[in-house]
Short mmCIF file of all heavy atoms in Angstrom, two decimals:
data_model
loop_
_atom_site.label_atom_id
_atom_site.label_comp_id
_atom_site.label_asym_id
_atom_site.label_seq_id
_atom_site.Cartn_x
_atom_site.Cartn_y
_atom_site.Cartn_z
N SER A 1 97.16 112.98 99.06
CA SER A 1 95.98 112.12 99.12
C SER A 1 96.19 110.85 98.29
O SER A 1 96.86 110.87 97.26
CB SER A 1 94.75 112.86 98.61
OG SER A 1 94.92 113.26 97.28
N THR A 2 95.62 109.77 98.77
CA THR A 2 95.67 108.49 98.07
C THR A 2 94.30 107.83 98.13
O THR A 2 93.48 108.15 99.00
CB THR A 2 96.70 107.54 98.71
OG1 THR A 2 96.34 107.30 100.08
CG2 THR A 2 98.11 108.11 98.65
N ASN A 3 94.06 106.92 97.21
CA ASN A 3 92.84 106.13 97.20
C ASN A 3 93.15 104.75 96.67
O ASN A 3 94.10 104.58 95.89
CB ASN A 3 91.76 106.78 96.34
CG ASN A 3 90.76 107.58 97.16
OD1 ASN A 3 89.95 107.01 97.88
ND2 ASN A 3 90.84 108.89 97.05
N TYR A 4 92.35 103.78 97.09
CA TYR A 4 92.56 102.40 96.67
C TYR A 4 91.22 101.76 96.33
O TYR A 4 90.19 102.06 96.92
CB TYR A 4 93.21 101.59 97.80
CG TYR A 4 94.57 102.08 98.19
CD1 TYR A 4 94.73 103.02 99.21
CD2 TYR A 4 95.72 101.62 97.54
CE1 TYR A 4 95.98 103.47 99.57
CE2 TYR A 4 96.97 102.07 97.90
CZ TYR A 4 97.10 103.01 98.91
OH TYR A 4 98.34 103.46 99.26
N ALA A 5 91.28 100.84 95.39
CA ALA A 5 90.12 100.01 95.13
C ALA A 5 89.91 99.06 96.30
O ALA A 5 90.88 98.65 96.96
CB ALA A 5 90.33 99.22 93.84
N VAL A 6 88.68 98.69 96.52
CA VAL A 6 88.37 97.80 97.64
C VAL A 6 89.14 96.49 97.53
O VAL A 6 89.62 95.94 98.52
CB VAL A 6 86.84 97.53 97.68
CG1 VAL A 6 86.52 96.44 98.70
CG2 VAL A 6 86.09 98.81 98.01
N ALA A 7 89.31 96.01 96.30
CA ALA A 7 89.95 94.71 96.08
C ALA A 7 91.41 94.68 96.53
O ALA A 7 91.95 93.59 96.78
CB ALA A 7 89.86 94.34 94.61
N VAL A 8 92.05 95.84 96.64
CA VAL A 8 93.48 95.86 96.98
C VAL A 8 93.74 96.55 98.31
O VAL A 8 94.88 96.64 98.76
CB VAL A 8 94.32 96.55 95.88
CG1 VAL A 8 94.05 95.90 94.53
CG2 VAL A 8 94.05 98.04 95.83
N TRP A 9 92.68 97.02 98.95
CA TRP A 9 92.82 97.76 100.21
C TRP A 9 93.57 96.92 101.24
O TRP A 9 93.23 95.77 101.47
CB TRP A 9 91.43 98.15 100.73
CG TRP A 9 91.48 99.06 101.91
CD1 TRP A 9 91.53 98.71 103.21
CD2 TRP A 9 91.52 100.48 101.87
NE1 TRP A 9 91.59 99.83 103.99
CE2 TRP A 9 91.59 100.93 103.20
CE3 TRP A 9 91.49 101.43 100.84
CZ2 TRP A 9 91.62 102.29 103.53
CZ3 TRP A 9 91.54 102.77 101.17
CH2 TRP A 9 91.59 103.18 102.50
N GLY A 10 94.56 97.54 101.85
CA GLY A 10 95.32 96.85 102.89
C GLY A 10 96.45 95.98 102.37
O GLY A 10 97.28 95.52 103.15
N ARG A 11 96.50 95.75 101.08
CA ARG A 11 97.57 94.94 100.48
C ARG A 11 98.50 95.76 99.60
O ARG A 11 99.70 95.47 99.52
CB ARG A 11 96.95 93.81 99.65
CG ARG A 11 96.07 92.87 100.44
CD ARG A 11 95.63 91.66 99.59
NE ARG A 11 94.83 92.07 98.43
CZ ARG A 11 95.17 91.80 97.17
NH1 ARG A 11 96.28 91.14 96.90
NH2 ARG A 11 94.37 92.18 96.17
N PHE A 12 97.98 96.77 98.94
CA PHE A 12 98.77 97.60 98.04
C PHE A 12 99.00 98.97 98.68
O PHE A 12 98.15 99.49 99.40
CB PHE A 12 98.04 97.81 96.71
CG PHE A 12 97.92 96.59 95.83
CD1 PHE A 12 98.25 95.32 96.30
CD2 PHE A 12 97.49 96.72 94.52
CE1 PHE A 12 98.14 94.20 95.49
CE2 PHE A 12 97.37 95.62 93.69
CZ PHE A 12 97.69 94.37 94.18
N THR A 13 100.17 99.54 98.39
CA THR A 13 100.50 100.88 98.87
C THR A 13 101.09 101.69 97.74
O THR A 13 102.04 101.25 97.09
CB THR A 13 101.51 100.82 100.03
OG1 THR A 13 100.98 100.01 101.09
CG2 THR A 13 101.78 102.21 100.57
N ILE A 14 100.53 102.86 97.51
CA ILE A 14 101.04 103.76 96.47
C ILE A 14 101.88 104.84 97.12
O ILE A 14 101.57 105.32 98.22
CB ILE A 14 99.87 104.37 95.65
CG1 ILE A 14 100.40 105.03 94.38
CG2 ILE A 14 99.04 105.30 96.49
CD1 ILE A 14 99.28 105.42 93.40
N SER A 15 102.97 105.21 96.44
CA SER A 15 103.85 106.26 96.97
C SER A 15 104.56 106.92 95.81
O SER A 15 104.46 106.47 94.67
CB SER A 15 104.85 105.66 97.96
OG SER A 15 105.70 104.73 97.30
N GLY A 16 105.28 108.00 96.11
CA GLY A 16 105.98 108.70 95.06
C GLY A 16 107.33 109.20 95.52
O GLY A 16 107.57 109.38 96.72
N ASP A 17 108.21 109.40 94.57
CA ASP A 17 109.55 109.96 94.82
C ASP A 17 109.70 111.14 93.88
O ASP A 17 109.93 110.96 92.68
CB ASP A 17 110.62 108.90 94.57
CG ASP A 17 112.00 109.38 94.94
OD1 ASP A 17 112.28 110.59 94.85
OD2 ASP A 17 112.85 108.53 95.30
N ASN A 18 109.57 112.34 94.43
CA ASN A 18 109.63 113.53 93.58
C ASN A 18 110.99 113.67 92.90
O ASN A 18 111.08 114.11 91.75
CB ASN A 18 109.32 114.77 94.41
CG ASN A 18 107.87 114.83 94.85
OD1 ASN A 18 107.01 114.19 94.27
ND2 ASN A 18 107.60 115.58 95.90
N ALA A 19 112.04 113.33 93.60
CA ALA A 19 113.38 113.48 93.04
C ALA A 19 113.57 112.58 91.80
O ALA A 19 114.28 112.95 90.87
CB ALA A 19 114.42 113.15 94.09
N LYS A 20 112.91 111.43 91.83
CA LYS A 20 113.03 110.50 90.71
C LYS A 20 111.87 110.64 89.73
O LYS A 20 111.82 109.93 88.72
CB LYS A 20 113.11 109.07 91.22
CG LYS A 20 114.37 108.78 92.04
CD LYS A 20 114.44 107.31 92.45
CE LYS A 20 115.72 107.04 93.23
NZ LYS A 20 115.84 105.61 93.64
N ASN A 21 110.93 111.54 90.05
CA ASN A 21 109.76 111.73 89.19
C ASN A 21 109.06 110.40 88.89
O ASN A 21 108.70 110.10 87.75
CB ASN A 21 110.16 112.42 87.87
CG ASN A 21 109.07 113.33 87.33
OD1 ASN A 21 108.25 113.86 88.08
ND2 ASN A 21 109.06 113.52 86.03
N THR A 22 108.90 109.63 89.94
CA THR A 22 108.40 108.26 89.81
C THR A 22 107.36 107.98 90.90
O THR A 22 107.51 108.42 92.03
CB THR A 22 109.55 107.25 89.92
OG1 THR A 22 110.47 107.48 88.86
CG2 THR A 22 109.04 105.81 89.82
N VAL A 23 106.33 107.24 90.51
CA VAL A 23 105.33 106.74 91.46
C VAL A 23 105.46 105.22 91.52
O VAL A 23 105.71 104.57 90.51
CB VAL A 23 103.91 107.16 91.03
CG1 VAL A 23 102.85 106.37 91.76
CG2 VAL A 23 103.71 108.65 91.27
N TYR A 24 105.29 104.70 92.72
CA TYR A 24 105.43 103.26 92.94
C TYR A 24 104.11 102.66 93.41
O TYR A 24 103.29 103.33 94.03
CB TYR A 24 106.49 103.00 94.01
CG TYR A 24 107.84 103.58 93.68
CD1 TYR A 24 108.26 104.79 94.24
CD2 TYR A 24 108.70 102.94 92.79
CE1 TYR A 24 109.49 105.33 93.93
CE2 TYR A 24 109.94 103.48 92.48
CZ TYR A 24 110.32 104.68 93.05
OH TYR A 24 111.54 105.22 92.74
N LEU A 25 103.96 101.38 93.14
CA LEU A 25 102.84 100.61 93.67
C LEU A 25 103.43 99.36 94.32
O LEU A 25 103.87 98.45 93.60
CB LEU A 25 101.84 100.24 92.59
CG LEU A 25 100.57 99.55 93.09
CD1 LEU A 25 99.72 100.53 93.91
CD2 LEU A 25 99.76 98.99 91.93
N GLN A 26 103.47 99.36 95.64
CA GLN A 26 103.94 98.19 96.37
C GLN A 26 102.78 97.23 96.55
O GLN A 26 101.76 97.60 97.14
CB GLN A 26 104.50 98.60 97.73
CG GLN A 26 104.97 97.44 98.60
CD GLN A 26 106.17 96.73 98.03
OE1 GLN A 26 107.12 97.37 97.58
NE2 GLN A 26 106.15 95.41 98.05
N MET A 27 102.94 96.03 96.05
CA MET A 27 101.86 95.04 96.08
C MET A 27 102.29 93.86 96.95
O MET A 27 103.25 93.17 96.63
CB MET A 27 101.53 94.57 94.67
CG MET A 27 101.25 95.71 93.70
SD MET A 27 100.69 95.15 92.08
CE MET A 27 102.13 94.26 91.53
N ASN A 28 101.60 93.68 98.05
CA ASN A 28 101.89 92.58 98.97
C ASN A 28 100.72 91.60 99.01
O ASN A 28 99.62 91.93 98.56
CB ASN A 28 102.15 93.12 100.38
CG ASN A 28 103.34 94.05 100.45
OD1 ASN A 28 104.31 93.90 99.70
ND2 ASN A 28 103.29 95.02 101.34
N SER A 29 100.97 90.44 99.55
CA SER A 29 99.93 89.41 99.69
C SER A 29 99.18 89.20 98.38
O SER A 29 97.95 89.17 98.34
CB SER A 29 98.95 89.80 100.80
OG SER A 29 99.63 89.98 102.03
N LEU A 30 99.95 89.06 97.33
CA LEU A 30 99.34 88.95 96.00
C LEU A 30 98.51 87.69 95.85
O LEU A 30 98.85 86.63 96.41
CB LEU A 30 100.43 89.02 94.93
CG LEU A 30 100.96 90.44 94.67
CD1 LEU A 30 102.30 90.40 93.95
CD2 LEU A 30 99.94 91.23 93.86
N LYS A 31 97.44 87.82 95.08
CA LYS A 31 96.51 86.72 94.84
C LYS A 31 96.44 86.43 93.34
O LYS A 31 96.72 87.32 92.53
CB LYS A 31 95.11 87.11 95.33
CG LYS A 31 95.04 87.55 96.77
CD LYS A 31 93.63 88.03 97.11
CE LYS A 31 93.55 88.52 98.55
NZ LYS A 31 92.17 88.98 98.88
N PRO A 32 96.06 85.25 92.96
CA PRO A 32 95.93 84.96 91.52
C PRO A 32 95.01 85.95 90.81
O PRO A 32 95.26 86.28 89.64
CB PRO A 32 95.33 83.55 91.51
CG PRO A 32 95.85 82.92 92.76
CD PRO A 32 95.85 84.04 93.78
N GLU A 33 94.01 86.45 91.49
CA GLU A 33 93.09 87.41 90.84
C GLU A 33 93.72 88.78 90.64
O GLU A 33 93.11 89.65 90.02
CB GLU A 33 91.79 87.55 91.65
CG GLU A 33 91.98 87.81 93.12
CD GLU A 33 91.90 86.54 93.95
OE1 GLU A 33 92.48 85.50 93.53
OE2 GLU A 33 91.28 86.58 95.04
N ASP A 34 94.92 88.99 91.12
CA ASP A 34 95.66 90.23 90.84
C ASP A 34 96.38 90.16 89.50
O ASP A 34 96.95 91.16 89.05
CB ASP A 34 96.68 90.52 91.93
CG ASP A 34 96.04 90.82 93.28
OD1 ASP A 34 95.04 91.56 93.30
OD2 ASP A 34 96.54 90.33 94.31
N THR A 35 96.36 89.00 88.88
CA THR A 35 97.02 88.84 87.58
C THR A 35 96.37 89.75 86.55
O THR A 35 95.16 89.72 86.35
CB THR A 35 96.92 87.37 87.11
OG1 THR A 35 97.66 86.55 88.01
CG2 THR A 35 97.47 87.22 85.70
N ALA A 36 97.20 90.59 85.91
CA ALA A 36 96.70 91.57 84.95
C ALA A 36 97.89 92.33 84.37
O ALA A 36 99.00 92.23 84.88
CB ALA A 36 95.74 92.54 85.62
N VAL A 37 97.60 93.10 83.34
CA VAL A 37 98.54 94.12 82.88
C VAL A 37 98.24 95.39 83.67
O VAL A 37 97.09 95.82 83.71
CB VAL A 37 98.44 94.37 81.37
CG1 VAL A 37 99.41 95.47 80.95
CG2 VAL A 37 98.71 93.09 80.59
N TYR A 38 99.26 95.94 84.28
CA TYR A 38 99.10 97.13 85.10
C TYR A 38 99.60 98.35 84.33
O TYR A 38 100.69 98.34 83.76
CB TYR A 38 99.88 96.98 86.41
CG TYR A 38 99.17 96.07 87.40
CD1 TYR A 38 99.09 94.70 87.17
CD2 TYR A 38 98.56 96.59 88.54
CE1 TYR A 38 98.43 93.86 88.06
CE2 TYR A 38 97.90 95.76 89.44
CZ TYR A 38 97.83 94.40 89.18
OH TYR A 38 97.17 93.58 90.07
N TYR A 39 98.77 99.40 84.36
CA TYR A 39 99.07 100.63 83.65
C TYR A 39 99.07 101.81 84.62
O TYR A 39 98.31 101.82 85.59
CB TYR A 39 98.00 100.92 82.59
CG TYR A 39 97.83 99.86 81.54
CD1 TYR A 39 96.93 98.81 81.73
CD2 TYR A 39 98.53 99.92 80.34
CE1 TYR A 39 96.75 97.84 80.76
CE2 TYR A 39 98.35 98.95 79.37
CZ TYR A 39 97.46 97.91 79.59
OH TYR A 39 97.28 96.95 78.62
N CYS A 40 99.87 102.82 84.31
CA CYS A 40 99.75 104.08 85.03
C CYS A 40 99.36 105.17 84.03
O CYS A 40 99.61 105.04 82.82
CB CYS A 40 101.01 104.45 85.80
SG CYS A 40 102.48 104.72 84.79
N ALA A 41 98.75 106.22 84.54
CA ALA A 41 98.29 107.33 83.72
C ALA A 41 98.19 108.56 84.60
O ALA A 41 98.26 108.47 85.83
CB ALA A 41 96.94 107.00 83.09
N VAL A 42 98.02 109.72 83.96
CA VAL A 42 98.03 110.98 84.70
C VAL A 42 96.71 111.72 84.51
O VAL A 42 96.16 111.76 83.40
CB VAL A 42 99.22 111.87 84.27
CG1 VAL A 42 99.23 112.13 82.78
CG2 VAL A 42 99.26 113.17 85.06
N ASP A 43 96.22 112.28 85.60
CA ASP A 43 95.06 113.18 85.58
C ASP A 43 95.59 114.59 85.80
O ASP A 43 96.05 114.92 86.90
CB ASP A 43 94.08 112.78 86.68
CG ASP A 43 92.88 113.72 86.76
OD1 ASP A 43 92.79 114.65 85.94
OD2 ASP A 43 92.05 113.51 87.67
N PHE A 44 95.53 115.43 84.76
CA PHE A 44 96.09 116.77 84.84
C PHE A 44 95.15 117.76 85.52
O PHE A 44 95.56 118.89 85.79
CB PHE A 44 96.43 117.28 83.45
CG PHE A 44 97.62 116.60 82.83
CD1 PHE A 44 97.46 115.73 81.77
CD2 PHE A 44 98.90 116.83 83.30
CE1 PHE A 44 98.55 115.09 81.19
CE2 PHE A 44 100.00 116.21 82.73
CZ PHE A 44 99.82 115.34 81.67
N LYS A 45 93.92 117.35 85.77
CA LYS A 45 92.94 118.35 86.18
C LYS A 45 92.45 118.21 87.62
O LYS A 45 92.03 119.21 88.20
CB LYS A 45 91.73 118.29 85.24
CG LYS A 45 92.06 118.67 83.80
CD LYS A 45 90.81 118.66 82.94
CE LYS A 45 91.14 119.10 81.51
NZ LYS A 45 89.92 119.09 80.65
N GLY A 46 92.45 117.02 88.16
CA GLY A 46 91.79 116.87 89.45
C GLY A 46 92.64 116.16 90.49
O GLY A 46 93.68 115.58 90.18
N PRO A 47 92.19 116.18 91.75
CA PRO A 47 92.88 115.46 92.81
C PRO A 47 92.57 113.97 92.75
O PRO A 47 91.67 113.54 92.03
CB PRO A 47 92.31 116.09 94.08
CG PRO A 47 90.92 116.46 93.69
CD PRO A 47 91.00 116.87 92.24
N CYS A 48 93.30 113.22 93.55
CA CYS A 48 93.05 111.78 93.63
C CYS A 48 91.72 111.55 94.34
O CYS A 48 91.51 112.01 95.46
CB CYS A 48 94.19 111.12 94.39
SG CYS A 48 93.92 109.39 94.79
#
């Protein structure tokens, strides 16, 4: 399962590589309002 904020819907794609233990965020059609520090974090208890 995946979810996206409305502001990035259709432009960003989240995916994962289990072998590399890594999650990716592909960001296309970037806009100036996407400027920010981006963080990742883990939810140990619930689904997306």
Side-chain angles (χ1 to χ4, degrees):
S1 61
T2 60
N3 262 289
Y4 298 91
V6 171
V8 306
W9 188 270
R11 300 187 298 121
F12 291 11
T13 303
I14 193 169
S15 63
D17 185 330
N18 291 339
K20 295 184 178 180
N21 213 26
T22 299
V23 165
Y24 303 100
L25 186 68
Q26 178 67 44
M27 307 186 297
N28 299 329
S29 302
L30 282 162
K31 305 175 182 180
E33 50 263 43
D34 294 317
T35 295
V37 178
Y38 284 71
Y39 301 89
C40 63
V42 56
D43 177 2
F44 289 109
K45 296 183 177 179
C48 172

